[in-house]
Amino acid sequence: MARRRPTLADPHASSALAHQFEDLGQQHESASLGMWIFLATEVMFFGGLFAGYTIYRNMYTAGFVAGSHELNVTIGAINTAVLICSSLTMALAVRAAQLGKRIPLVTLLIATILLGLAFVIIKLTLEWRHDYLEGLVPGLNFTFAGPNARSMELFFCFYFVMTGVHALHMVVGVGVLFWLVVQAWKGRFGPERFNFVEGAGLYWHFVDIIWIFLFPLLYLIGGRY
Amino acid sequence: MATAAVELDTRVHYLNANYGIKSWLLTTDHKRIAILYMASITFFFLIGGLAATLIRIHLIEPNGAVFEPGTYNKLFSMHGIVMVFFFLIPSIPAVLGNFLVPMMIGARDLAFPKLNLLSWYVFMAGGILVLYSVIWGGVDTGWTFYTPLSTSYVNSNVLSAAFGVFIAGFSSILTGLNFVVTIHKMRAPGMTWFRMPLFLWAMYATSIIQILGTPVVAITLVLVAVERMFHVGIFDPAVGGDPILFQHLFWFYSHPAVYIMILPSMGVVSELITCFAKKRIFGYSFVAFSSVAIAVISFLVWGHHMFVSGQSIYAGIIFSALSFLVAIPSAIKVFNWTATLYKGSISYQAPMLYAMGFIGLFTMGGLTGLFLATLATDTHLHDTYFVVGHFHYIMVGGAVMGYLGGIHFWWPKITGRLYPDGWARLAAAIVFIGFNLTFFPQYMLGYLGMPRRYAIYSPEFQVLNVMSSAGASILAVGYAIPLVYLIWSMRYGPEAGPNPWGAKGLEWETPSPPPTENFEEIPVVSEEAYAYGAKEAHVG
Ligand SMILES: [Cu+2]
């Protein structure tokens, strides 16, 4: 192990280094480990939903398949493409931060924000609103009648909770990215200081991956094709 | 002593580095945040204890001495919710863990000091919401929020209470995250994993449970809220849901949560036993890995809460067998602590009395757990006072004894002052006697068939109930005494010095109270933990 700096003797070599750390390497490792652990908690959070969905899908297969057929695969696919593009711009933004390129960083972050907002707006206007008008929203307006109406209602409960919680994560992510844009504009990031951008990137990719699981689970499986 | 007292006031340390309410509410010093938590959970303990007192007063009479049945339901729910989520779960991790984790590994602070402060605010936000819920209007579902009772039948503040618990859960997650990163990345030079004090292994295992378990109960409470708000059938069988799924999700967190409460106490006991026997721990790696084993197995046993809930009998058999497995690492700890005492030079100061109390009471609680993990006996004992006795032996006899032992052990480090040892020993003895008198009769009541959660009971159970209530009043005295002399000692206690117990560990090598960054210079560790007797180079 490298010889560590004594505590109070010499001042911090770099303003990017928080007082509790010995060096930038330790600080960077801690930040990314912390972020990965946070993502593990998110996996468990969504895991509860996925488990519940899987169990009910097994119990009420017909209703869940019928519910799945009511969803618009084309719009789901477009949104998937939008999210994958946003992951690309996010990954490039992290690279720009590491290299300390200010203008590309700001541009890429804004592009990521726009793609994220596009996803949420498409979801809201073209899917949820449509579902509401069709009478497919349990608790607010569920008018579907048919042999599997009960279990279809359960499907839509999970559909709205899962996509809703996911969309909430997108909105939080957009908020974080806004803050990063402001910081990036002020030139706060560079080769010594990119942990925040990297952490936000990990979060953003994670939220995308959740969608990559949600899309087939909700839209595709069920013998439609 | 006189000159030493002057030294305490003149030297700059974390308590007098700056003054004013703002310097506390905006602090990022892990030691100050520990004290914020200590004050908060003491307050919640008093609230939960008040509810317990009212419950025990009510149960003196078979027909209920004081309250309406509905009020009684709200009281035991308040007791359970406040004690579990706002006292026991944060107790040792958020107070002693916060104070000690950086000091024991030789770091200046936790890895994320601001996050640490945030987690206190999150905790308080959840706590205030829950206090509002249980006091104005109340909640009457019990701390378990079972569906469909909680979603379709009761008219109490389920939503706001569940939301409060949901919020407080994130505090627990953030604390666990902070500890794991700190223990991985911030150990001082020479502090290898197998030189770490066993308290840190226990905190690490606890943190893993906090990180992986809490999100599951969080999403479960979200689903409960959705079901209650929109009247949809996620868990309500009347509309196609499955109440057993709720129980699976709830206990997936809430069984491991029991180990969030007990593992830290086990860590404390390892520190106390070695210090007051002045011996190396017997079988260091066994004790260390038994903490990890308990954390892992804890995630595989939740079904033992559902033996009579309609879960498949095959699942029941497997959960029963897995639950027995937890006894192995638990017993390893108890045997190793006992073996550590063998031929030790034992002194019975107050922290040691709590540690000894812990071992005895935890053993009782653990052994009665085996009765409940056995399918046939559980059918008889399920939802009786036997269960109440069992988990109070674990959570009060275990977790609270460990917490009090730890507070008494590290109090001189935290405040720089000593409390009166005679009073402390007396209080420990009163707690032990009062505790047994309160909860041992509950085993008998449960065995005789008295169900839990009822506001009234058959007259033949009265003698044992009166004994339990009498014990509770003794227990209350036992808890009140430390509150008095510990607060007294903060001002009038004699100067403690850096190491009043002659203990090993980095936290004892720095002055009491420690300076803001803990150490004048980051220490270099060259010996294993608990190197008592090896070379007593410097004591005191
Ligand atoms: Cu359990």
Side-chain angles (χ1 to χ4, degrees):
Chain A
M1 196 177 292
R3 183 82 188 95
R4 293 191 175 194
R5 179 170 61 78
T7 315
L8 300 168
D10 38 299
H12 294 294
S14 156
S15 64
L17 183 66
H19 81 102
Q20 70 272 26
F21 294 113
E22 295 298 317
D23 51 52
L24 285 169
Q26 187 191 28
Q27 172 166 303
H28 177 242
E29 283 177 19
S30 302
S32 49
L33 178 62
M35 200 59 211
W36 281 105
I37 293 171
F38 175 72
L39 296 184
T41 73
E42 289 277 23
V43 168
M44 297 306 288
F45 187 78
F46 280 97
L49 281 175
F50 281 97
Y53 176 87
T54 309
I55 287 164
Y56 283 143
R57 194 178 191 285
N58 211 27
M59 282 164 74
Y60 306 112
T61 312
F64 271 54
V65 169
S68 174
H69 285 188
E70 296 293 322
L71 300 179
N72 190 329
V73 180
T74 314
I75 296 177
I78 291 171
N79 252 345
T80 309
V82 168
L83 272 194
I84 290 174
C85 290
S86 80
S87 259
L88 175 67
T89 54
M90 187 69 229
L92 292 171
V94 174
R95 184 76 187 138
Q98 285 169 342
L99 298 175
K101 294 180 175 169
R102 190 171 71 105
I103 298 301
L105 172 60
V106 171
T107 317
L108 286 162
L109 287 174
I110 290 175
T112 313
I113 289 174
L114 291 178
L115 288 166
L117 286 177
F119 175 91
V120 175
I121 290 166
I122 290 172
K123 192 92 212 149
L124 209 62
T125 55
L126 297 182
E127 291 206 81
W128 288 344
R129 184 171 158 278
H130 180 258
D131 295 332
Y132 182 79
L133 295 176
E134 295 270 295
L136 291 173
V137 184
L140 296 178
N141 176 25
F142 195 83
T143 53
F144 188 87
N148 294 315
R150 264 289 164 73
S151 41
M152 221 172 112
E153 192 175 352
L154 199 53
F155 170 83
F156 275 99
C157 278
F158 272 90
Y159 167 76
F160 280 105
V161 173
M162 291 167 102
T163 56
V165 171
H166 176 261
L168 197 65
H169 276 77
M170 298 286 302
V171 172
V172 170
V174 167
V176 170
L177 292 182
F178 262 116
W179 181 75
L180 287 184
V181 167
V182 174
Q183 299 294 310
W185 184 252
K186 292 180 185 164
R188 293 276 162 80
F189 301 118
E192 291 219 322
R193 195 186 161 95
F194 56 87
N195 288 344
F196 284 114
V197 186
E198 196 181 60
L202 281 174
Y203 173 82
W204 192 263
H205 298 316
F206 170 80
V207 177
D208 285 6
I209 287 169
I210 290 291
W211 178 257
I212 301 296
F213 280 91
L214 285 177
F215 180 56
L217 208 59
L218 295 169
Y219 291 73
L220 298 182
I221 56 175
R224 176 159 21 189
Y225 306 102
Chain B
M1 271 303 158
T3 52
V6 170
E7 193 266 341
L8 190 69
D9 295 331
T10 52
R11 186 172 55 81
V12 177
H13 50 74
Y14 81 102
L15 289 172
N16 66 7
N18 40 34
Y19 292 99
I21 195 84
K22 228 173 115 186
S23 76
W24 282 87
L25 292 180
L26 296 178
T27 183
T28 53
D29 183 342
H30 65 102
K31 300 182 289 301
R32 286 194 164 202
I33 294 170
I35 288 180
L36 290 178
Y37 268 113
M38 193 196 288
S40 322
I41 71 164
T42 306
F43 171 70
F44 285 116
F45 181 79
L46 293 177
I47 299 279
L50 176 71
T53 310
L54 296 177
I55 290 169
R56 280 325 313 171
I57 290 172
H58 178 80
L59 290 177
I60 288 173
E61 293 276 339
N63 286 323
V66 195
F67 303 106
E68 296 285 305
T71 314
Y72 178 82
N73 290 348
K74 288 177 181 175
L75 279 175
F76 75 68
S77 305
M78 173 175 165
H79 171 66
I81 294 169
V82 170
M83 284 300 203
V84 168
F85 295 111
F86 296 93
F87 176 73
L88 287 167
I89 287 179
S91 62
I92 294 182
V95 178
L96 294 174
N98 244 327
F99 195 92
L100 292 168
V101 166
M103 302 201 66
M104 282 183 164
I105 60 172
R108 280 185 284 268
D109 205 319
L110 288 170
F112 308 115
K114 285 180 195 155
L115 198 67
N116 197 20
L117 180 65
L118 176 70
S119 70
W120 181 73
Y121 277 101
V122 169
F123 174 75
M124 289 311 286
I128 288 165
L129 192 54
V130 161
L131 273 189
Y132 155 77
S133 317
V134 297
I135 292 173
W136 282 276
V139 185
D140 55 355
T141 59
W143 75 280
T144 51
F145 299 108
Y146 264 26
T147 57
L149 174 70
S150 61
T151 53
S152 303
Y153 294 102
V154 299
N155 287 319
S156 52
N157 291 335
V158 174
L159 271 182
S160 56
F163 190 50
V165 171
F166 174 86
I167 293 173
F170 287 96
S171 152
S172 188
I173 290 173
L174 294 178
T175 303
L177 186 156
N178 224 335
F179 286 179
V180 169
V181 174
T182 305
I183 293 173
H184 267 282
K185 295 294 175 195
M186 305 195 58
R187 283 170 286 127
M191 178 57 86
T192 60
W193 282 89
F194 290 97
R195 281 179 182 168
M196 290 199 315
L198 290 162
F199 179 75
L200 293 179
W201 281 89
M203 285 316 312
Y204 187 86
T206 308
S207 301
I208 296 290
I209 302 175
Q210 286 174 309
I211 289 165
L212 295 181
T214 320
V216 177
V217 83
I219 190 64
T220 309
L221 291 173
V222 168
L223 290 174
V224 166
V226 167
E227 171 159 320
R228 194 171 163 87
M229 281 193 291
F230 298 106
H231 305 288
V232 294
I234 297 171
F235 299 125
D236 185 351
V239 255
D242 185 355
I244 305 293
L245 178 65
F246 171 83
Q247 296 182 23
H248 277 293
L249 291 172
F250 179 81
W251 289 114
F252 180 83
Y253 165 74
S254 294
H255 181 81
V258 174
Y259 298 104
I260 297 178
M261 306 176 211
I262 197 70
L263 271 170
S265 277
M266 293 168 156
V268 167
V269 169
S270 297
E271 303 297 314
L272 302 189
I273 292 285
T274 46
C275 173
F276 291 99
K278 288 286 172 288
K279 266 191 74 187
R280 283 185 163 81
I281 190 88
F282 181 86
Y284 174 94
S285 53
F286 278 87
V287 182
F289 281 116
S290 65
S291 289
V292 179
I294 287 174
V296 171
I297 299 171
S298 78
F299 279 108
L300 307 173
V301 302
W302 75 89
H304 63 216
H305 295 269
M306 298 152 63
F307 287 157
V308 298
S309 301
Q311 155 187 273
S312 108
I313 188 66
Y314 301 107
I317 291 169
I318 290 166
F319 279 124
S320 171
L322 287 167
S323 302
F324 275 99
L325 279 187
V326 183
I328 297 171
S330 307
I332 286 175
K333 283 185 189 289
V334 171
F335 288 132
N336 282 21
W337 291 324
T338 318
T340 304
L341 294 176
Y342 179 66
K343 285 190 175 172
S345 54
I346 304 171
S347 57
Y348 295 98
Q349 274 127 321
M352 185 60 163
L353 294 184
Y354 282 108
M356 304 289 263
F358 173 98
I359 296 177
L361 299 179
F362 171 74
T363 304
M364 286 276 295
L367 289 176
T368 49
L370 295 178
F371 292 50
L372 297 170
T374 310
L375 287 171
T377 45
D378 183 66
T379 309
H380 173 58
L381 297 170
H382 186 84
D383 265 349
T384 68
Y385 262 81
F386 192 89
V387 179
V388 180
H390 158 69
F391 69 68
H392 280 89
Y393 264 78
I394 298 289
M395 292 179 188
V396 185
V400 179
M401 291 294 259
Y403 175 68
L404 288 176
I407 289 289
H408 281 83
F409 187 55
W410 283 290
W411 187 261
K413 180 55 59 183
I414 294 171
T415 63
R417 292 184 188 275
L418 295 171
Y419 49 82
D421 192 56
W423 280 102
R425 291 190 211 196
L426 178 70
I430 293 175
V431 166
F432 186 80
I433 293 165
F435 174 84
N436 279 301
L437 192 56
T438 311
F439 293 105
F440 198 84
Q442 299 190 1
Y443 281 134
M444 294 152 84
L445 284 168
Y447 186 75
L448 296 172
M450 179 174 161
R452 51 189 291 213
R453 297 202 177 101
Y454 280 60
I456 55 171
Y457 54 86
S458 316
E460 74 256 31
F461 297 134
Q462 190 175 10
V463 174
L464 289 168
N465 268 296
V466 170
M467 279 172 69
S468 181
S469 295
S473 60
I474 297 175
L475 190 56
V477 172
Y479 287 146
I481 297 172
L483 204 60
V484 175
Y485 64 71
L486 288 179
I487 291 173
W488 176 87
S489 76
M490 285 197 285
R491 195 176 180 92
Y492 303 107
E495 168 92 9
N499 191 359
W501 313 113
K504 294 282 180 181
L506 293 181
E507 79 270 29
W508 301 108
E509 291 177 12
T510 189
S512 315
T516 297
E517 289 205 322
N518 296 341
F519 302 98
E520 302 297 336
E521 196 172 313
I522 290 296
V524 177
V525 182
S526 57
E527 61 182 13
E528 60 178 28
Y530 317 117
Y532 289 106
K535 41 183 191 295
E536 292 282 335
H538 52 289
V539 175

